[in-house]
Amino acid sequence: MAFINYSAREINCKLVYYGPGLCGKTTNLKAIYEKTSPDAKGKMISLATETERTLFFDFLPLALGEIRGFKTRFHLYTVPGQVFYDASRKLILKGADGLVFVADSQEERFEANIESLENMKANLTEQGFDINKIPWVIQYNKRDLPNAVSVEELREVLNPDGKILDFEAAAQSGQGVFETLKALAKLVLQELRKGGR
C-alpha cells in the first residue's frame, strides 16, 4: 500500500516485477536505471549471484513528478524467479501497489510463464490482495529472439480475456521497458486517486 509522508509531501509506491527465472526482470530495472537522469533516481541495489540470478531482490527508487503538490516516488522491486525462492517472493509482494508480470517469449519457457503467473496469483491471494483490484500489467519480453512464440499464443494463456494491459518488449535493448512502466504507474496513480484498495 502506498506510503504518504505528509511532512515531506511525498507519495511512495511499491511496484514489483514478477515472472519466471531469467525472464528479464532485472534487465528491465537496469534499462530504467540507465535511461533515467541521475537526479530522478536513487542507487540501484542488486542482490545477485555470479550468474546474475536475483537472490532476493533488485531495488530502484525513482521520482516521477508531482501530484497535487506531492512528489511521487516509485520503488521498483524484482522478485527472484527461481521456484525455490517462493518465501522471498511472498515477502517482496507485501505492500505492493502494482505489478508487472514479465513473461519470457521463448518457446521453451512457455510452461514456466504459466506456472509463474499461477504462483503470483496464489501468493497475492495469500497476502490478502484481490488480483482483480490490484493494478497490474503484462510484458511479453524477449520479442527480439528467433525462438519467440507469437504474442497471440502468449495472450491466449496469460491474458485470455484481454482485460490486462500488455506490452511487447525486448528489455535488453530497452524496447517496451518504459511503455510498460508508464502504463503501470498510471494505473497505480489512478488507484490512489480513487482512495486505494
Side-chain angles (χ1 to χ4, degrees):
M1 184 177 276
F3 170 71
I4 300 175
N5 183 337
Y6 286 96
S7 60
R9 300 190 69 76
E10 278 182 4
I11 301 170
N12 293 275
C13 302
K14 181 178 184 179
L15 308 184
V16 178
Y17 283 70
Y18 209 100
L22 299 176
C23 66
K25 300 178 292 293
T26 298
T27 310
N28 264 273
L29 258 64
K30 284 181 177 172
I32 293 164
Y33 184 81
E34 284 168 12
K35 292 185 178 172
T36 303
S37 68
D39 56 337
K41 67 186 177 189
K43 188 177 177 184
M44 182 166 165
I45 298 167
S46 193
L47 300 177
T49 62
E50 287 177 0
T51 57
E52 292 197 6
R53 286 181 173 216
T54 307
L55 260 184
F56 191 66
F57 65 81
D58 303 307
F59 170 67
L60 174 61
L62 207 60
L64 288 182
E66 292 191 0
I67 298 177
R68 295 178 190 163
F70 281 77
K71 289 177 194 162
T72 53
R73 288 190 193 279
F74 287 88
H75 300 263
L76 312 185
Y77 288 83
T78 67
V79 298
Q82 293 74 41
V83 175
F84 42 89
Y85 289 127
D86 199 40
S88 301
R89 285 196 292 275
K90 288 178 187 174
L91 197 62
I92 294 162
L93 273 182
K94 278 191 177 177
D97 295 294
L99 299 160
V100 175
F101 181 79
V102 183
D104 189 328
S105 296
Q106 296 181 93
E107 190 175 3
E108 59 270 29
R109 301 298 290 159
F110 198 80
E111 291 299 321
N113 290 324
I114 298 168
E115 192 180 313
S116 183
L117 183 60
E118 290 306 315
N119 176 260
M120 183 182 92
K121 289 178 178 175
N123 283 341
L124 281 171
T125 303
E126 199 176 302
Q127 301 282 330
F129 289 104
D130 180 343
I131 188 74
N132 298 311
K133 291 186 178 171
I134 188 167
W136 69 289
V137 299
I138 298 174
Q139 182 190 78
Y140 306 116
N141 191 27
K142 304 189 182 182
R143 298 306 308 156
D144 54 334
L145 297 184
N147 55 343
V149 298
S150 72
V151 169
E152 289 71 28
E153 285 175 89
L154 288 164
R155 200 172 272 149
E156 196 176 313
V157 293
L158 302 175
N159 191 15
D161 52 14
K163 287 183 179 173
I164 307 301
L165 289 175
D166 53 12
F167 300 88
E168 295 186 41
Q172 199 73 43
S173 65
Q175 182 200 330
V177 168
F178 276 93
E179 289 83 348
T180 306
L181 174 63
K182 282 177 190 169
L184 180 62
K186 193 175 171 186
L187 289 176
V188 168
L189 293 175
Q190 280 173 357
E191 192 66 20
L192 274 176
R193 287 191 181 103
K194 283 195 286 184
R197 292 179 297 274

PDB file of all heavy atoms in Angstrom, residues 83-101:
ATOM      1  N   VAL A  83      12.078 -21.228  -8.618  1.00  0.00           N
ATOM      2  CA  VAL A  83      10.997 -21.848  -7.840  1.00  0.00           C
ATOM      3  C   VAL A  83      11.291 -21.888  -6.338  1.00  0.00           C
ATOM      4  O   VAL A  83      10.424 -21.616  -5.519  1.00  0.00           O
ATOM      5  CB  VAL A  83      10.744 -23.287  -8.364  1.00  0.00           C
ATOM      6  CG1 VAL A  83       9.705 -24.008  -7.511  1.00  0.00           C
ATOM      7  CG2 VAL A  83      10.286 -23.223  -9.820  1.00  0.00           C
ATOM      8  N   PHE A  84      12.538 -22.170  -5.971  1.00  0.00           N
ATOM      9  CA  PHE A  84      12.865 -22.376  -4.551  1.00  0.00           C
ATOM     10  C   PHE A  84      12.931 -21.085  -3.737  1.00  0.00           C
ATOM     11  O   PHE A  84      13.180 -21.116  -2.550  1.00  0.00           O
ATOM     12  CB  PHE A  84      14.160 -23.181  -4.399  1.00  0.00           C
ATOM     13  CG  PHE A  84      15.249 -22.777  -5.351  1.00  0.00           C
ATOM     14  CD1 PHE A  84      16.153 -21.785  -5.021  1.00  0.00           C
ATOM     15  CD2 PHE A  84      15.352 -23.404  -6.589  1.00  0.00           C
ATOM     16  CE1 PHE A  84      17.146 -21.413  -5.912  1.00  0.00           C
ATOM     17  CE2 PHE A  84      16.343 -23.027  -7.482  1.00  0.00           C
ATOM     18  CZ  PHE A  84      17.248 -22.035  -7.150  1.00  0.00           C
ATOM     19  N   TYR A  85      12.675 -19.936  -4.349  1.00  0.00           N
ATOM     20  CA  TYR A  85      12.688 -18.668  -3.609  1.00  0.00           C
ATOM     21  C   TYR A  85      11.281 -18.166  -3.315  1.00  0.00           C
ATOM     22  O   TYR A  85      11.054 -16.962  -3.224  1.00  0.00           O
ATOM     23  CB  TYR A  85      13.450 -17.600  -4.384  1.00  0.00           C
ATOM     24  CG  TYR A  85      14.944 -17.806  -4.441  1.00  0.00           C
ATOM     25  CD1 TYR A  85      15.608 -17.813  -5.662  1.00  0.00           C
ATOM     26  CD2 TYR A  85      15.697 -17.964  -3.285  1.00  0.00           C
ATOM     27  CE1 TYR A  85      16.983 -17.986  -5.724  1.00  0.00           C
ATOM     28  CE2 TYR A  85      17.071 -18.143  -3.338  1.00  0.00           C
ATOM     29  CZ  TYR A  85      17.705 -18.154  -4.567  1.00  0.00           C
ATOM     30  OH  TYR A  85      19.057 -18.312  -4.626  1.00  0.00           O
ATOM     31  N   ASP A  86      10.333 -19.051  -3.165  1.00  0.00           N
ATOM     32  CA  ASP A  86       8.941 -18.631  -3.000  1.00  0.00           C
ATOM     33  C   ASP A  86       8.740 -17.763  -1.752  1.00  0.00           C
ATOM     34  O   ASP A  86       7.977 -16.802  -1.789  1.00  0.00           O
ATOM     35  CB  ASP A  86       8.017 -19.853  -2.948  1.00  0.00           C
ATOM     36  CG  ASP A  86       6.582 -19.471  -3.247  1.00  0.00           C
ATOM     37  OD1 ASP A  86       6.364 -18.634  -4.153  1.00  0.00           O
ATOM     38  OD2 ASP A  86       5.675 -19.967  -2.558  1.00  0.00           O
ATOM     39  N   ALA A  87       9.432 -18.097  -0.655  1.00  0.00           N
ATOM     40  CA  ALA A  87       9.280 -17.317   0.582  1.00  0.00           C
ATOM     41  C   ALA A  87       9.730 -15.869   0.350  1.00  0.00           C
ATOM     42  O   ALA A  87       9.102 -14.932   0.842  1.00  0.00           O
ATOM     43  CB  ALA A  87      10.083 -17.952   1.710  1.00  0.00           C
ATOM     44  N   SER A  88      10.806 -15.688  -0.422  1.00  0.00           N
ATOM     45  CA  SER A  88      11.288 -14.333  -0.731  1.00  0.00           C
ATOM     46  C   SER A  88      10.262 -13.582  -1.565  1.00  0.00           C
ATOM     47  O   SER A  88       9.998 -12.399  -1.338  1.00  0.00           O
ATOM     48  CB  SER A  88      12.605 -14.391  -1.515  1.00  0.00           C
ATOM     49  OG  SER A  88      13.575 -15.059  -0.768  1.00  0.00           O
ATOM     50  N   ARG A  89       9.668 -14.282  -2.536  1.00  0.00           N
ATOM     51  CA  ARG A  89       8.676 -13.624  -3.391  1.00  0.00           C
ATOM     52  C   ARG A  89       7.487 -13.126  -2.566  1.00  0.00           C
ATOM     53  O   ARG A  89       7.004 -12.016  -2.762  1.00  0.00           O
ATOM     54  CB  ARG A  89       8.189 -14.581  -4.486  1.00  0.00           C
ATOM     55  CG  ARG A  89       9.188 -14.784  -5.598  1.00  0.00           C
ATOM     56  CD  ARG A  89       8.527 -15.401  -6.811  1.00  0.00           C
ATOM     57  NE  ARG A  89       8.109 -16.778  -6.571  1.00  0.00           N
ATOM     58  CZ  ARG A  89       8.907 -17.835  -6.718  1.00  0.00           C
ATOM     59  NH1 ARG A  89      10.160 -17.676  -7.094  1.00  0.00           N
ATOM     60  NH2 ARG A  89       8.460 -19.050  -6.500  1.00  0.00           N
ATOM     61  N   LYS A  90       7.038 -13.953  -1.630  1.00  0.00           N
ATOM     62  CA  LYS A  90       5.905 -13.557  -0.780  1.00  0.00           C
ATOM     63  C   LYS A  90       6.242 -12.308   0.026  1.00  0.00           C
ATOM     64  O   LYS A  90       5.435 -11.392   0.156  1.00  0.00           O
ATOM     65  CB  LYS A  90       5.544 -14.703   0.173  1.00  0.00           C
ATOM     66  CG  LYS A  90       4.887 -15.874  -0.519  1.00  0.00           C
ATOM     67  CD  LYS A  90       4.605 -16.969   0.477  1.00  0.00           C
ATOM     68  CE  LYS A  90       4.102 -18.205  -0.238  1.00  0.00           C
ATOM     69  NZ  LYS A  90       3.936 -19.350   0.670  1.00  0.00           N
ATOM     70  N   LEU A  91       7.455 -12.290   0.557  1.00  0.00           N
ATOM     71  CA  LEU A  91       7.896 -11.159   1.376  1.00  0.00           C
ATOM     72  C   LEU A  91       7.935  -9.869   0.560  1.00  0.00           C
ATOM     73  O   LEU A  91       7.487  -8.820   1.002  1.00  0.00           O
ATOM     74  CB  LEU A  91       9.292 -11.467   1.939  1.00  0.00           C
ATOM     75  CG  LEU A  91       9.768 -10.639   3.119  1.00  0.00           C
ATOM     76  CD1 LEU A  91       8.847 -10.844   4.320  1.00  0.00           C
ATOM     77  CD2 LEU A  91      11.197 -11.032   3.485  1.00  0.00           C
ATOM     78  N   ILE A  92       8.454  -9.959  -0.657  1.00  0.00           N
ATOM     79  CA  ILE A  92       8.584  -8.773  -1.515  1.00  0.00           C
ATOM     80  C   ILE A  92       7.213  -8.271  -1.977  1.00  0.00           C
ATOM     81  O   ILE A  92       7.001  -7.078  -2.149  1.00  0.00           O
ATOM     82  CB  ILE A  92       9.526  -9.078  -2.707  1.00  0.00           C
ATOM     83  CG1 ILE A  92      10.941  -9.312  -2.175  1.00  0.00           C
ATOM     84  CG2 ILE A  92       9.531  -7.951  -3.726  1.00  0.00           C
ATOM     85  CD1 ILE A  92      11.863 -10.016  -3.120  1.00  0.00           C
ATOM     86  N   LEU A  93       6.252  -9.178  -2.132  1.00  0.00           N
ATOM     87  CA  LEU A  93       4.901  -8.771  -2.561  1.00  0.00           C
ATOM     88  C   LEU A  93       4.169  -7.946  -1.502  1.00  0.00           C
ATOM     89  O   LEU A  93       3.263  -7.183  -1.828  1.00  0.00           O
ATOM     90  CB  LEU A  93       4.056 -10.006  -2.864  1.00  0.00           C
ATOM     91  CG  LEU A  93       4.137 -10.595  -4.262  1.00  0.00           C
ATOM     92  CD1 LEU A  93       3.185 -11.781  -4.353  1.00  0.00           C
ATOM     93  CD2 LEU A  93       3.815  -9.567  -5.331  1.00  0.00           C
ATOM     94  N   LYS A  94       4.577  -8.101  -0.248  1.00  0.00           N
ATOM     95  CA  LYS A  94       3.888  -7.381   0.834  1.00  0.00           C
ATOM     96  C   LYS A  94       3.883  -5.885   0.561  1.00  0.00           C
ATOM     97  O   LYS A  94       4.913  -5.297   0.282  1.00  0.00           O
ATOM     98  CB  LYS A  94       4.580  -7.644   2.180  1.00  0.00           C
ATOM     99  CG  LYS A  94       4.165  -8.938   2.816  1.00  0.00           C
ATOM    100  CD  LYS A  94       4.653  -9.034   4.226  1.00  0.00           C
ATOM    101  CE  LYS A  94       4.134 -10.335   4.834  1.00  0.00           C
ATOM    102  NZ  LYS A  94       4.610 -10.564   6.180  1.00  0.00           N
ATOM    103  N   GLY A  95       2.714  -5.284   0.624  1.00  0.00           N
ATOM    104  CA  GLY A  95       2.600  -3.841   0.453  1.00  0.00           C
ATOM    105  C   GLY A  95       2.739  -3.353  -0.976  1.00  0.00           C
ATOM    106  O   GLY A  95       2.893  -2.155  -1.203  1.00  0.00           O
ATOM    107  N   ALA A  96       2.703  -4.271  -1.946  1.00  0.00           N
ATOM    108  CA  ALA A  96       2.849  -3.854  -3.342  1.00  0.00           C
ATOM    109  C   ALA A  96       1.660  -3.002  -3.781  1.00  0.00           C
ATOM    110  O   ALA A  96       0.523  -3.260  -3.385  1.00  0.00           O
ATOM    111  CB  ALA A  96       2.983  -5.068  -4.247  1.00  0.00           C
ATOM    112  N   ASP A  97       1.934  -1.984  -4.580  1.00  0.00           N
ATOM    113  CA  ASP A  97       0.870  -1.135  -5.130  1.00  0.00           C
ATOM    114  C   ASP A  97       0.549  -1.490  -6.568  1.00  0.00           C
ATOM    115  O   ASP A  97      -0.487  -1.105  -7.094  1.00  0.00           O
ATOM    116  CB  ASP A  97       1.286   0.340  -5.069  1.00  0.00           C
ATOM    117  CG  ASP A  97       1.429   0.818  -3.646  1.00  0.00           C
ATOM    118  OD1 ASP A  97       0.411   0.869  -2.941  1.00  0.00           O
ATOM    119  OD2 ASP A  97       2.573   1.099  -3.236  1.00  0.00           O
ATOM    120  N   GLY A  98       1.478  -2.188  -7.222  1.00  0.00           N
ATOM    121  CA  GLY A  98       1.260  -2.575  -8.617  1.00  0.00           C
ATOM    122  C   GLY A  98       2.279  -3.616  -9.039  1.00  0.00           C
ATOM    123  O   GLY A  98       3.336  -3.755  -8.414  1.00  0.00           O
ATOM    124  N   LEU A  99       1.936  -4.356 -10.094  1.00  0.00           N
ATOM    125  CA  LEU A  99       2.807  -5.445 -10.542  1.00  0.00           C
ATOM    126  C   LEU A  99       2.981  -5.424 -12.052  1.00  0.00           C
ATOM    127  O   LEU A  99       2.059  -5.100 -12.786  1.00  0.00           O
ATOM    128  CB  LEU A  99       2.177  -6.806 -10.186  1.00  0.00           C
ATOM    129  CG  LEU A  99       1.921  -7.114  -8.724  1.00  0.00           C
ATOM    130  CD1 LEU A  99       0.890  -8.208  -8.614  1.00  0.00           C
ATOM    131  CD2 LEU A  99       3.197  -7.537  -8.048  1.00  0.00           C
ATOM    132  N   VAL A 100       4.180  -5.807 -12.476  1.00  0.00           N
ATOM    133  CA  VAL A 100       4.423  -6.126 -13.879  1.00  0.00           C
ATOM    134  C   VAL A 100       4.701  -7.623 -13.925  1.00  0.00           C
ATOM    135  O   VAL A 100       5.616  -8.095 -13.240  1.00  0.00           O
ATOM    136  CB  VAL A 100       5.658  -5.394 -14.450  1.00  0.00           C
ATOM    137  CG1 VAL A 100       5.932  -5.859 -15.885  1.00  0.00           C
ATOM    138  CG2 VAL A 100       5.462  -3.890 -14.411  1.00  0.00           C
ATOM    139  N   PHE A 101       3.903  -8.367 -14.690  1.00  0.00           N
ATOM    140  CA  PHE A 101       4.252  -9.763 -14.893  1.00  0.00           C
ATOM    141  C   PHE A 101       5.078  -9.829 -16.170  1.00  0.00           C
ATOM    142  O   PHE A 101       4.582  -9.512 -17.255  1.00  0.00           O
ATOM    143  CB  PHE A 101       3.023 -10.672 -14.995  1.00  0.00           C
ATOM    144  CG  PHE A 101       3.413 -12.106 -15.189  1.00  0.00           C
ATOM    145  CD1 PHE A 101       3.832 -12.867 -14.111  1.00  0.00           C
ATOM    146  CD2 PHE A 101       3.431 -12.683 -16.450  1.00  0.00           C
ATOM    147  CE1 PHE A 101       4.251 -14.183 -14.280  1.00  0.00           C
ATOM    148  CE2 PHE A 101       3.850 -13.991 -16.638  1.00  0.00           C
ATOM    149  CZ  PHE A 101       4.260 -14.747 -15.540  1.00  0.00           C
TER     150      PHE A 101
END
